[in-house]
Amino acid sequence: MRTAAYDTWRAVTGAQLVLPEAGVYEVVADVQAGQIMVGSVNNAYMQTRLFDVTAGAVVPLTVRTVLFLSATPSDGVTHTIQATASAAALYRVAGPATIRVEGLKHVDSGTTTDEAMWAQNFRFKKISD
């Protein structure tokens, strides 16, 4: 996430899977994110979502805020935050579909010096045909 522009969704490295056939799946991604800020920063957050690459669409209702820091008022002080969130959905596909985890970083004012996002336990289970 370090080189991604603010407010731009970006694929999380290594967090992609293929739903093998038509059906309804439970898709779950446990996502961790970390952010480092130096000095005064307002409304810094990182979000995640599941994205259906095959359909070119966001998996509905999967946007999650992984971390949020409303303000760091101390100039010259380094602030580090890390958090975890799960994005999950029951999702119907008409055939094989590639699903990936995406991340976004945002800051209202100030600057972050480093961000990272990774997915653990990105998995699926077929629920029905």
Side-chain angles (χ1 to χ4, degrees):
M1 297 296 297
R2 178 181 304 147
T3 60
Y6 288 116
D7 301 313
T8 302
W9 289 101
R10 180 176 178 175
V12 173
T13 303
Q16 185 168 292
L17 55 77
V18 176
L19 305 177
E21 61 189 18
V24 177
Y25 292 85
E26 176 185 42
V27 183
V28 179
D30 299 325
V31 179
Q32 292 184 317
Q35 202 165 39
I36 299 173
M37 297 148 279
V38 177
S40 182
V41 177
N42 290 307
N43 296 330
Y45 62 81
M46 294 179 74
Q47 293 183 314
T48 192
R49 71 182 184 187
L50 301 180
F51 187 82
D52 183 336
V53 178
T54 304
V58 176
V59 175
L61 304 174
T62 61
V63 175
R64 301 287 187 274
T65 298
V66 181
L67 62 82
F68 176 78
L69 186 62
S70 62
T72 58
S74 304
D75 285 334
V77 176
T78 298
H79 306 276
T80 303
I81 185 171
Q82 183 173 337
T84 303
S86 292
L90 292 178
Y91 189 58
R92 178 180 298 279
V93 294
T98 299
I99 308 295
R100 72 179 177 213
V101 177
E102 294 186 334
L104 173 142
K105 63 183 183 179
H106 171 88
V107 174
D108 277 351
S109 66
T111 304
T112 58
T113 58
D114 199 4
E115 307 87 13
M117 184 176 285
W118 59 100
Q120 296 181 319
N121 303 318
F122 188 26
R123 62 202 181 275
F124 67 90
K125 177 171 66 174
K126 189 169 184 183
I127 303 299
S128 67
D129 289 329

